[in-house]
Amino acid sequence: MSAWKRWLFALLGSAVICALVLGVFFLATEIGESSARSTCLENDGEWDYTARDCQFSVPEDL
């Protein structure tokens, strides 16, 4: 196998590994955010999609 083919296979292999790592990271992030959003809504909070955070309002009678 010539040198340029080895370089090409190495480059493609690296790209595939990088894509897999990024895909796993993205999937884990989405699962974590979905879980946090569900927990927030179960506890009567409001999910802020911009900040990706849970907001709780203070009752007026306090």
Side-chain angles (χ1 to χ4, degrees):
M1 187 182 290
S2 64
W4 70 271
K5 285 185 181 178
R6 281 193 297 264
W7 269 97
L8 182 62
F9 284 127
L11 185 63
L12 288 174
S14 297
V16 167
I17 291 171
C18 183
L20 287 173
V21 168
L22 287 175
V24 168
F25 175 76
F26 178 75
L27 185 62
T29 302
E30 288 299 314
I31 290 171
E33 183 178 332
S34 176
S35 175
R37 184 174 41 238
S38 296
T39 303
C40 176
L41 296 176
E42 286 174 2
N43 293 324
D44 297 327
E46 294 180 17
W47 185 255
D48 184 356
Y49 287 93
T50 305
R52 293 184 171 182
D53 194 16
C54 190
Q55 304 292 326
F56 292 102
S57 57
V58 177
E60 296 292 329
D61 57 352
L62 288 181

